[in-house]
């Protein structure tokens, strides 16, 4: 076992991890660990844009942005945190531009901005032009720019290192253990501070816009170390995933004017959100699509037509935008439709269906990015989180499009500053030998599975299929309870998995199995949270408990794993400027 | 539909040279080469190794040689491939690590030599963006989409002959900053570019353009860079 010392270890090299690294590297010795090469992080898949009330094209201001975010969150977002981010978003956006990110431009040479779901002027009056974009490559260019800045500042990367163990003892974070994917072998990092920036867990579901690497590793690690996860029942389904694969067709498409049509060619959103239509927030739009499908107005695939089965898609219609505009402002969408569906979106509408997309919940942190362990916000010294794996909470029960790249970059920077400030008062702590033994024993277990009989891919497939069926857009008690049994059964089967490859080097069979074990460990927090929360709020929709219930449920869920079971606790929501109101669009 | 894939297998620990192994898989309509590899890994041989993440053509992990041509496994539909069985091999020109995984260190090192970041000694305006017109941004639209998949550099005969040649991907990156109106780094990048392991090693063989999954016309960019270097000299 190789032991390293770094004052700060950042796990993850997406927008959050990279932006934090830039900050921390100014004052301390920092190492960034990432299981995929930094530029391969899933932040690069963000297409549509990054929100900031620059007002380059209209009279936008940060208070409208704050209001929209609060309302979008179905009033579950913490308003102090939302205010802090929205107020400072313009300054952050200029910084991102100054670093060299290329942005599409207005005729006057300012950053161009487009419409996005749920972003409005004057507290809901009409759509705002708020999403700063770079064609439909926004996440990609911001990620690459941040990486370039890290190269410039000689940030130390450990690429293709998969973190497998978090060392917390006596309430203090002491370091982590990580597997060197390329050469094999466990490395232990003794640290003063650890920052989680490990991204989301879309891979819990069968249909997802997320990368294969988005398995929520950080959440599993935190939960295993005895820490809670916050608001896990809130999972965003993006309305427009490519039919079957779930690959994302950005909301920017609708921002540019695309329509949603059912099988009768009707723009059905007029029945669900007469003011914002296709630019309603994601939770509402996904439910509308799913309702169309459930009520028999879905578009059939050729196979479904042949068999006389009902359709399970609707159309995203881009035709009226014209080829030239599509190629100019949505080039990636154009390629994706062509490469993955064989469809020319200038000629034919694209079949889409809701796709699991974003985790509103995550590791609970303070506005400063310090991880907390309970409803009293007791901090865990030396442990931080930012980006999609963290829950500040900005997004509450439903995230608005373009707020996540903002969140990841903004809180990445801010937590970096927090760590820089805390560093003088943090010190190295001894690594408990039993923790190191446990970390090693766990990896040995995976390498010693040749006599197991269960297939990893089959267990993963079953988990994803059943989560898709039982814990997706519409939820009810029976299915949720059934899902808990299914998960427990899969956990049992997991103990007997088979692994063929005993090689130490580049053993992705073990890495994938590890990811599944981790998923199975925390996925119950989603289900138990959803089962207990008997109301409809944002992305969490209980058909057996209609309506939002502010009296009982205007609170954050904290989920712990104790003695093999999930225990829930609750934490109040911070409300400052905007009192909860009925949410209409 | 059933398909046969002829996949390059190489295990450095075995002491054996690499070899091609046939796998037959049942695939749904629309399945990609990455799906096929996933199916082999899931149900036939878990030890098969390749890089992948986004499976949507944006992370650049999964470039490999498919039927003799560098492309992204996740973007290549099995149906679209003429030759059967489908040949799947690692990117040429880099040291093989295991199966379809190659050592990209030289690729990253070359990239970093071009000083791939915005260089501008003048402080930016406060509380405003640096101005840039849509026409000026248009110069960046093509190079900025590079996903660093290494297909191009791997296909470049000049790179095969000279490992210290920057290669097309690094030159694309240089173009992306050199032709950004906000950048003033030419003085610092010039020596790396105006060099026989830089721009002048490119013999316009065009392999790079042909295999770029983002349709970047790298050779055009290289000519622009050459022109800039020459113009600044005289
Ligand atoms: C297809 C798609 C499109 C999107 N479009 C938009 C958009 O237009 N606007 C917007 O605001 N948001 C968008 N989002 C959401 C947004 O992109 C993400 O929420 C955000 O980029 C997350 O950034 P991050 O830094 O937290 O995580 P990521 O970028 O996902 O990075 C996670 C990092 O953690 C590392 N990691 C994970 N586990 C481990 C481990 N065990 N060991 C070591 N390293 C590990 C990974 O290697 C990676 O580097 C989109 C999301 C998707 C999926
Ligand atoms: S055109 Fe130049 S860079 Fe491209 S493959 Fe040929 S020699 Fe290499
Ligand atoms: S220029 Fe094209 S082929 Fe080369 S690394 Fe970039 S995306 Fe890949
Ligand atoms: S898996 Fe990301 S480009 Fe193919």
């Amino acid at each position: 076992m190789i032991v390293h010392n770094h004052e700060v270890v950042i796990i993850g090299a997406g927008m959050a991890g990279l932006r934090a690294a830039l900050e921390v590297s100014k004052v301390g010795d920092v190492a960034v660990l990432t299981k995929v090469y930094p530029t391969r992080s899933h932040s690069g898949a963000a297409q549509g844009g990054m929100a900031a009330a620059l007002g380059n094209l209209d009279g936008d201001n940060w208070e409208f942005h704050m209001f929209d975010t609060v309302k979008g969150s179905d009033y579950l977002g913490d308003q102090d945190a939302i205010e802090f981010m929205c107020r400072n978003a313009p300054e952050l956006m200029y910084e991102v531009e100054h670093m060299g990110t290329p942005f599409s431009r207005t005729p006057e040479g300012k950053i161009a901005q487009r419409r996005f779901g749920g972003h409005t002027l004057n507290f809901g009056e009409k759509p705002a032009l708020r999403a700063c974009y770079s064609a439909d490559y926004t996440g990609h260019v911001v990620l690459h720019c941040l990486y370039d800045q890290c190269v410039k500042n000689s940030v130390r990367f450990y690429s293709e290192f998969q973190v497998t163990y978090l060392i917390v003892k006596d309430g203090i974070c002491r370091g982590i253990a990580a597997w060197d994917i390329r050469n094999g072998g466990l490395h232990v990092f003794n640290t003063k501070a650890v920052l989680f920036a490990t991204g989301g867990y879309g891979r819990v579901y069968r249909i997802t816009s997320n990368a294969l690497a988005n398995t929520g590793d950080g959440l599993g690690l935190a939960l295993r170390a005895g820490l809670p996860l916050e608001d896990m029942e809130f999972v965003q389904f993006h309305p427009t995933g490519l039919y079957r694969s779930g690959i994302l067709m950005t909301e920017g498409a609708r921002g540019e004017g695309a329509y949603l049509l059912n099988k009768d060619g009707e723009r059905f959103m007029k029945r669900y959100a007469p003011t914002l239509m296709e630019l309603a927030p994601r939770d509402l739009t996904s439910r509308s699509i799913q309702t169309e499908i459930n009520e028999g107005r879905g578009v059939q695939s050729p196979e479904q037509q042949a068999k006389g089965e009902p359709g399970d898609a609707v159309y995203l219609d881009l035709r009226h935008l014209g080829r030239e505009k599509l190629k100019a402002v949505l080039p990636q969408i154009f390629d994706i439709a062509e490469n993955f569906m064989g469809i020319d979106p200038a000629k034919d509408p694209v079949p889409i269906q809701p796709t699991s997309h974003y985790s509103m919940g995550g590791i609970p942190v303070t506005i400063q990015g310090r991880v907390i362990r309970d409803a009293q916000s007791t901090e865990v010294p030396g442990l931080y989180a930012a980006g999609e794996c963290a829950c500040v909470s900005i997004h509450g029960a439903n995230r608005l499009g373009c707020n996540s790249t903002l969140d990841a970059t903004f809180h990445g920077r801010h937590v970096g500053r927090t760590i820089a400030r805390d560093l003088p008062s943090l010190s190295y702590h001894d690594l408990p030998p039993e923790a190191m033994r446990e970390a090693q024993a766990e990896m040995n277990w995976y390498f010693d599975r040749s006599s197991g009989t269960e297939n990893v891919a089959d267990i993963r497939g079953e988990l994803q299929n059943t989560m898709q069926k039982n814990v997706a857009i519409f939820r009810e008690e029976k299915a949720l309870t059934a899902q808990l049994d299914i998960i427990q059964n899969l956990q049992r089967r997991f103990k007997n998995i088979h692994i063929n490859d005993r090689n130490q080097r580049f053993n992705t069979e073990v890495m994938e199995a590890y990811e599944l074990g981790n998923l199975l460990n925390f996925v119950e927090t989603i289900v138990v949270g959803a089962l207990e929360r008997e109301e409809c709020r944002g992305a969490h929709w209980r058909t057996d408990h209609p309506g939002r219930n502010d009296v009982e449920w205007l609170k954050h869920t904290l989920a712990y794993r104790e003695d093999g079971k999930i225990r829930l606790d609750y934490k109040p929501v911070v409300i400052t400027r905007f009192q909860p109101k009925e949410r209409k669009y | 539909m059933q398909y046969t894939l002829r996949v390059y297998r190489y295990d450095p620990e075995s002491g054996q040279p690499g070899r091609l192994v046939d796998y037959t898989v049942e695939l749904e309509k629309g399945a990609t080469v990455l799906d096929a590899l996933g199916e082999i890994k899931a149900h036939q041989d878990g030890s098969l190794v390749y890089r992948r993440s986004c499976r949507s053509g944006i992370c650049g992990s999964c470039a490999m040689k498919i039927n003799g041509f560098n492309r992204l496994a996740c973007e290549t539909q099995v149906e679209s491939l003429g030759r059967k069985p489908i040949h799947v091999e690692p990117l040429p020109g880099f040291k093989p690590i295991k199966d379809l995984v190659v050592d990209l260190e030289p690729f990253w090192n070359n990239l970093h030599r071009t000083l791939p970041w915005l260089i501008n000694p003048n402080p930016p305006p406060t509380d405003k963006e640096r101005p840039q017109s849509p026409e000026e941004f248009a110069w960046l639209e093509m190079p900025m989409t590079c996903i660093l998949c290494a297909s191009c550099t791997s296909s470049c005969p000049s790179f095969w002959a000279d490992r210290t040649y920057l290669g097309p991907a690094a030159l694309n990156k240089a173009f992306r900053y050199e032709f950004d109106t906000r950048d003033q780094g030419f003085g610092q990048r010039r020596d790396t570019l105006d060099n026989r392991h830089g721009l002048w090693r490119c013999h316009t063989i065009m392999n790079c353009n042909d295999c770029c999954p983002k349709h970047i016309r790298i050779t055009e960019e290289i000519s622009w860079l050459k022109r800039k270097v020459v113009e600044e000299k005289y």
Side-chain angles (χ1 to χ4, degrees):
Chain A
M1 205 183 294
I2 303 166
V3 181
H4 307 259
N5 289 296
H6 288 290
E7 285 184 305
V8 182
V9 159
I10 296 175
I11 313 172
M15 287 180 190
L18 293 180
R19 187 59 194 82
L22 285 176
E23 218 52 47
V24 183
S25 63
K26 288 183 198 159
V27 298
D29 157 37
V30 56
V32 181
L33 275 65
T34 168
K35 64 180 179 180
V36 299
Y37 197 83
T39 57
R40 319 273 189 233
S41 300
H42 205 55
S43 286
Q47 301 165 350
M50 191 158 161
L54 306 182
N56 280 352
L57 291 157
D58 57 18
D60 201 5
N61 79 44
W62 71 263
E63 272 185 275
F64 301 156
H65 187 188
M66 174 182 174
F67 170 76
D68 293 336
T69 305
V70 172
K71 182 176 171 190
S73 79
D74 221 346
Y75 296 92
L76 193 70
D78 288 324
Q79 296 188 15
D80 51 348
I82 296 173
E83 173 166 349
F84 180 51
M85 182 183 84
C86 293
R87 228 182 227 281
N88 292 295
E91 180 264 321
L92 180 92
M93 195 60 59
Y94 293 133
E95 184 197 77
V96 168
E97 194 278 336
H98 294 162
M99 282 179 175
T101 305
F103 279 105
S104 298
R105 298 284 171 155
T106 68
E108 304 79 51
K110 297 178 181 174
I111 296 174
Q113 298 187 276
R114 60 162 58 118
R115 298 178 301 169
F116 242 77
H119 289 282
T120 70
L121 294 177
N122 271 330
F123 311 108
E125 211 173 88
K126 59 174 191 187
L129 292 155
R130 186 176 294 149
C132 305
Y133 65 94
S134 193
D136 55 0
Y137 278 93
T138 316
H140 173 79
V141 294
V142 174
L143 178 74
H144 282 240
C145 177
L146 291 174
Y147 172 71
D148 291 351
Q149 289 293 314
C150 285
V151 173
K152 177 182 173 195
N153 290 293
S154 311
V155 168
R156 171 93 191 252
F157 286 103
Y158 290 82
S159 284
E160 305 195 311
F161 270 67
Q162 186 155 328
V163 177
T164 59
Y165 198 90
L166 171 64
I167 306 170
V168 178
K169 199 187 163 199
D170 306 329
I172 298 168
C173 174
R174 295 147 190 263
I176 51 115
W179 186 260
D180 175 354
I181 299 176
R182 180 166 169 177
N183 301 303
L186 198 66
H187 294 232
V188 172
F189 292 76
N190 193 1
T191 63
K192 295 180 180 174
V194 169
L195 167 62
F196 275 97
T198 50
Y201 56 78
R203 286 282 148 189
V204 168
Y205 293 91
R206 177 167 57 87
I207 296 176
T208 177
S209 67
N210 280 200
L212 290 153
N214 283 21
T215 48
D217 301 5
L219 306 187
L221 291 170
L223 193 67
R224 272 208 314 180
L227 301 170
L229 299 179
E230 181 173 348
D231 290 343
M232 291 294 286
E233 59 269 38
F234 298 101
V235 180
Q236 177 163 84
F237 281 77
H238 191 293
T240 56
L242 213 54
Y243 182 57
R244 298 190 84 134
S245 68
I247 293 173
L248 194 73
M249 301 295 277
T250 176
E251 189 170 306
R254 282 169 288 138
E256 297 292 345
Y259 302 144
L260 291 171
L261 306 177
N262 61 18
K263 80 168 193 313
D264 309 320
E266 180 202 12
R267 274 181 78 187
F268 55 85
M269 283 309 294
K270 65 173 186 269
R271 285 186 270 114
Y272 302 90
T275 311
L276 291 186
M277 297 286 288
E278 279 88 354
L279 288 172
R282 291 178 178 173
D283 53 341
L284 204 166
T285 311
S286 287
R287 276 196 297 277
S288 311
I289 294 173
Q290 198 60 49
T291 306
E292 291 298 299
I293 292 171
N294 293 354
E295 293 180 358
R297 291 186 293 278
V299 170
Q300 292 165 301
S301 67
E303 296 86 55
Q304 285 164 334
Q305 244 162 21
K307 289 190 199 148
E309 288 170 2
D312 58 349
V314 299
Y315 280 133
L316 178 70
D317 187 359
L318 298 138
R319 291 172 296 183
H320 54 288
L321 301 181
R323 183 175 305 274
E324 210 171 302
K325 175 154 184 193
L326 285 176
K327 288 240 172 189
V329 296
L330 299 165
Q332 188 174 188
I333 287 306
F334 204 96
D335 283 353
I336 289 178
E338 216 152 46
N339 291 338
F340 294 92
M341 292 292 286
I343 285 177
D344 174 351
K347 281 216 310 257
D348 294 301
V350 185
I352 52 96
Q353 60 189 177
T355 183
S356 114
H357 185 60
Y358 184 84
S359 32
M360 269 73 76
I363 304 170
V365 292
T366 63
I367 295 185
Q368 312 305 335
R370 300 189 185 102
V371 172
I372 55 175
R373 56 181 321 128
D374 54 33
Q376 291 71 48
S377 296
T378 311
E379 293 172 0
V380 183
L383 196 56
Y384 304 81
E388 190 169 338
C389 73
C391 183
V392 183
S393 152
I394 296 289
H395 312 296
N398 172 62
R399 166 176 78 90
L400 293 189
C402 291
N403 264 355
S404 159
T405 48
L406 169 64
D407 169 16
T409 313
F410 180 76
H411 288 100
R413 179 176 79 175
H414 191 66
V415 77
R417 291 177 179 168
T418 303
I419 295 173
R421 226 181 12 256
D422 290 355
L423 212 47
S425 62
L426 294 170
S427 46
Y428 287 108
H429 292 272
D430 290 343
L431 294 174
E434 67 277 9
M436 287 162 74
R437 271 198 301 275
E438 200 177 294
Q440 182 67 57
E442 182 185 30
M443 293 319 289
N444 293 349
W445 183 82
Y446 282 100
F447 279 95
D448 200 19
R449 300 299 318 147
S450 54
S451 60
T453 54
E454 290 283 354
N455 182 294
V456 171
D458 291 347
I459 297 180
R460 185 173 51 226
E462 247 182 87
L463 176 69
Q464 292 168 337
N465 283 331
T466 51
M467 286 296 289
Q468 188 80 35
K469 182 161 157 261
N470 295 330
V471 201
I473 297 177
F474 293 112
R475 302 162 171 189
E476 46 100 18
E477 184 180 340
K478 227 173 94 196
L480 291 169
T481 317
Q483 185 62 20
L484 281 179
D485 289 339
I486 292 171
I487 292 171
Q488 274 148 22
N489 181 37
L490 293 174
Q491 285 168 342
R492 264 193 302 279
R493 282 171 57 192
F494 186 80
K495 295 200 174 104
N496 186 30
I497 52 167
H498 172 79
I499 288 174
N500 191 18
D501 191 358
R502 304 186 67 158
N503 250 311
Q504 297 266 309
R505 281 194 214 167
F506 242 101
N507 190 330
T508 53
E509 195 182 6
V510 165
M511 294 296 110
E512 286 181 12
Y514 171 85
E515 289 170 343
L516 175 63
N518 195 63
L519 273 182
L520 281 170
N521 174 45
F522 75 79
V523 68
E524 275 166 294
T525 61
I526 305 172
V527 188
V528 175
L531 187 60
E532 292 302 313
R533 188 177 280 274
E534 296 183 332
E535 65 157 350
C536 297
R537 186 183 297 275
H540 172 67
W541 199 266
R542 285 285 297 265
T543 49
D544 49 353
H545 290 279
R548 194 176 77 194
N549 179 349
D550 285 340
V551 178
E552 281 174 273
W553 287 107
L554 187 56
K555 57 188 179 186
H556 297 290
T557 309
L558 292 179
Y560 298 79
R561 179 177 280 289
E562 280 169 6
D563 307 322
K565 285 213 169 56
I566 302 298
R567 174 176 72 84
L568 298 186
D569 195 1
Y570 294 93
K571 186 164 91 75
V573 176
V574 181
I575 294 169
T576 57
R577 288 171 181 247
F578 302 108
Q579 286 307 312
K581 275 207 278 220
E582 196 197 345
R583 200 165 149 249
K584 270 201 197 135
Y585 288 96
Chain B
M1 273 286 280
Q2 269 202 350
Y3 293 92
T4 301
L5 279 82
R6 185 160 290 174
V7 183
Y8 182 82
R9 300 300 310 266
Y10 166 65
D11 172 7
E13 278 161 68
S14 72
Q16 307 287 319
R19 65 204 167 97
L20 292 165
V21 179
D22 282 4
Y23 299 92
T24 301
V25 283
E26 184 71 39
L27 296 170
E28 288 183 9
K29 193 173 160 344
T32 63
V33 172
L34 186 67
D35 294 329
L37 294 174
E39 182 50 31
I40 296 170
K41 189 172 178 70
H43 291 116
Q44 299 188 29
D45 187 347
S47 70
L48 175 64
V49 179
Y50 48 92
R51 289 193 178 102
R52 88 291 179 267
S53 185
C54 72
R55 56 81 223 226
S56 60
I58 192 66
C59 77
S61 300
C62 69
M64 50 188 81
K65 194 162 112 185
I66 300 169
N67 275 359
F69 201 72
N70 290 351
R71 28 186 156 202
L72 301 178
C74 72
E75 250 185 23
T76 306
Q77 300 220 352
V78 172
E79 259 177 352
S80 72
L81 293 165
R83 180 156 62 125
K84 308 279 165 29
I86 297 158
H87 281 62
V88 186
E89 294 160 276
L91 283 182
F94 295 106
K95 195 173 115 235
I97 292 182
K98 191 171 164 184
D99 295 345
L100 301 169
V101 175
V102 296
D103 180 8
L104 286 178
E105 277 314 307
F107 176 78
W108 301 116
N109 290 340
N110 282 343
L111 182 76
H112 298 164
R113 277 168 51 212
T114 64
L115 312 186
W117 52 80
L118 192 83
I119 299 175
N120 188 334
N122 304 319
T126 41
D127 271 347
K128 268 213 299 273
E129 57 276 74
R130 281 195 165 100
Q132 186 168 59
S133 70
E135 295 71 31
E136 289 166 339
F137 168 70
W139 280 81
L140 312 180
E141 275 180 290
M142 186 167 72
M144 77 182 195
T145 61
C146 169
I147 56 176
L148 300 172
C149 68
S151 287
C152 55
T153 301
S154 156
S155 75
C156 170
S158 300
F159 177 72
W160 300 341
D162 171 10
R163 290 319 149 102
T164 59
Y165 167 43
L166 288 172
L171 289 171
N172 170 69
K173 192 71 161 183
F175 177 89
R176 178 252 167 278
Y177 281 109
E178 278 302 320
F179 285 81
D180 188 327
T181 48
R182 302 167 297 175
D183 186 273
Q184 299 181 7
F186 183 67
Q188 293 177 48
R189 292 191 195 99
R190 182 200 330 241
D191 288 348
T192 316
L193 296 173
D194 184 11
N195 182 298
R196 65 197 172 83
H197 305 292
L199 283 171
W200 309 111
R201 177 63 67 177
C202 167
H203 303 303
T204 327
I205 310 167
M206 307 281 268
N207 285 12
C208 52
N209 285 9
D210 291 343
C211 68
C212 175
K214 295 292 160 192
H215 322 296
I216 299 175
R217 297 187 300 277
I218 313 168
T219 47
E220 245 170 65
E221 298 176 344
I222 293 176
S223 345
W224 279 106
L225 283 167
K226 283 180 176 168
R227 201 183 300 182
K228 183 166 183 177
V229 164
V230 173
E231 272 170 12
E232 300 277 335
K233 241 188 223 166
Y234 303 103

